[in-house]
Each structure stands twice: as structure tokens, then as C-alpha cells.
Amino acid sequence: DQQVKQNSPSLSVQEGRISILNCDYTNSMFDYFLWYKKYPAEGPTFLISISSIKDKNEDGRFTVFLNKSAKHLSLHIVPSQPGDSAVYFCAAENQGGKLIFGQGTELSVKP
Amino acid sequence: ETGVTQSPTHLIKTRGQQVTLRCSSQSGHNTVSWYQQALGQGPQFIFQYYREEENGRGNFPPRFSGLQFPNYSSELNVNALELDDSALYLCASSLRGQGSYEQYFGPGTRLTVT
């Protein structure tokens, strides 16, 4: 039972353009959502989060949008840079602090 | 501020053996969670420790056990290793009770079971 899904295993974007990474979830009881970035041979790095009571959170080049009715969230990176190339995971937090992760999307930003 | 550290970095064990992985939490954090990440998958929650007690467990058998120490560092123990236990084991620390949900991960321990 995959409660958090990232249906695109990979995404390729030109430098300077917008990257949009998508995530769907099934459990309406999740109360917090997070995005992590992971480089090879490193642990996931926290990027940005959003509470279930909000629909948008912005931090510099990163913006997360939450559509509760569609059970969908997305991460926008503008402008994309080659250093953004990594695997991006969305995660949902249930009561008690357990993070449930999607399968990840590998972003490649080409110069 | 010291980040999350894990040891060892890599480990090779034989099926049936036992292994202990270690984690030091980020300074100021009181909660440690452990995750298993298989190749091509997202991390899977194993369990969480808060105030030296297990505080939530994922769908892992009892041969996966853990400890948290008074300084908030933690150990993950796996008994009777199986080939499918080969994975990256991630430790994450967080500050529970302050309204913060972010968990900060260490670099992981790559376990190979042969």
C-alpha cells in the first residue's frame, strides 16, 4: 500500500527553466509534507515543508504547493541550476513523527 | 552545530550474523528515527526513539531492534541477517515537542549481506 507516490522516476530540465516535481498521496490524515534532496552517497537533505492547513510555502527558489482536494503536492524550482541535479523525495508525516516517503524523482538540470 | 553522524560508513556481513549500526543525533535534538532504503526506493520507516523508549514502529520484524542513550545517540541492531537486509540504513534526528516536523538525516550506513 503505497501511501505516497511519485509517478515520474526522472525529469530533465534546461538550466534557468522551471522544474516541477509532483507527488500524490492517499491518506487525508497526513498533517505535514516535506521535500528532501538526495545526492549519491549522502543522506537526504531537508529542503522545504508545508503544513496541511496551508496551500503554499516559498523559500527562495523553492516553492511547494498543496492541493488537499486532489491529494497532490508539487515542488517548483525556479530558476533551475545544474547543482539542483539530484533525487528528490516527497514525504508525508503522520501523527507520531513517522515519515512516509515516495519513491523519488531523479532531476537532471542540463547547462 | 554538529550534524547527524553515522558509523560505520560501509559494512559487509554474512547471512545469519548480527550487526549494530550507530547514530549521533544533531545537537539539541531529542528524537532519533531509523529508516531502511533499498535500491531505487524511498526510505522506509523502521522505528523511532524518544526519551530512550521506542515511539512508533514500521512494518519490520522483531529482529530489528534499537536503543537510545541519555545523550540521544542511538543504535540499530539487526539479528539473523538475511540477504534482503542489504540496504542503506539512515538515521534521522529531530526535536519533538516544539512544533517542528523536520527530520535531519545522516549520511547512512551501507550494509551488504552475502
Side-chain angles (χ1 to χ4, degrees):
Chain A
D1 177 26
Q2 190 73 29
Q3 296 187 64
V4 177
K5 292 183 181 180
Q6 293 175 258
N7 291 317
S8 299
S10 62
L11 175 67
S12 183
V13 171
Q14 206 69 31
E15 181 180 5
R17 307 294 280 267
I18 184 171
S19 295
I20 300 176
L21 297 106
N22 294 302
C23 181
D24 297 299
Y25 61 96
T26 57
N27 187 344
S28 59
M29 297 303 291
F30 289 138
D31 50 18
Y32 217 76
F33 300 90
L34 307 92
W35 284 94
Y36 285 84
K37 176 170 76 172
K38 188 178 185 302
Y39 294 118
E42 294 183 13
T45 301
F46 169 72
L47 268 179
I48 191 169
S49 61
I50 187 168
S51 165
S52 61
I53 62 173
K54 297 189 174 182
D55 53 21
K56 178 182 176 181
N57 188 27
E58 192 171 354
D59 183 2
R61 297 187 297 114
F62 302 92
T63 303
V64 56
F65 295 93
L66 176 61
N67 182 334
K68 288 184 287 295
S69 61
K71 295 190 177 68
H72 177 84
L73 67 156
S74 60
L75 174 68
H76 292 209
I77 306 174
V78 184
S80 301
Q81 301 172 353
D84 295 329
S85 297
V87 178
Y88 288 77
F89 292 98
C90 72
E93 196 270 351
N94 68 358
Q95 296 168 359
K98 168 183 175 180
L99 290 182
I100 300 173
F101 284 83
Q103 306 95 311
T105 296
E106 184 171 9
L107 173 65
S108 175
V109 180
K110 300 191 181 305
Chain B
E1 186 177 82
T2 307
V4 179
T5 60
Q6 292 185 243
S7 62
T9 307
H10 296 88
L11 202 51
I12 300 175
K13 289 285 190 178
T14 303
R15 190 172 56 182
Q17 286 187 315
Q18 178 265 345
V19 69
T20 297
L21 310 181
R22 294 178 175 83
C23 171
S24 291
S25 60
Q26 183 168 311
S27 61
H29 285 180
N30 57 14
T31 302
V32 174
S33 303
W34 285 92
Y35 294 82
Q36 179 195 67
Q37 185 179 14
L39 206 59
Q41 300 295 318
Q44 299 286 316
F45 176 76
I46 302 175
F47 43 55
Q48 182 181 89
Y49 277 83
Y50 172 63
R51 290 186 176 177
E52 302 175 51
E53 292 194 0
E54 187 178 291
N55 178 54
R57 187 177 185 94
N59 189 25
F60 281 82
R63 59 189 185 84
F64 285 78
S65 63
L67 285 172
Q68 186 182 32
F69 300 99
N71 66 355
Y72 305 122
S73 66
S74 177
E75 286 182 356
L76 164 66
N77 298 289
V78 187
N79 293 322
L81 283 167
E82 300 177 359
L83 297 179
D84 284 349
D85 295 334
S86 295
L88 180 67
Y89 287 85
L90 295 161
C91 163
S93 75
S94 54
L95 181 59
R96 187 177 172 185
Q98 301 296 317
S100 170
Y101 294 81
E102 291 87 17
Q103 296 185 16
Y104 295 87
F105 285 82
T109 294
R110 172 71 62 184
L111 173 65
T112 302
V113 182
T114 62

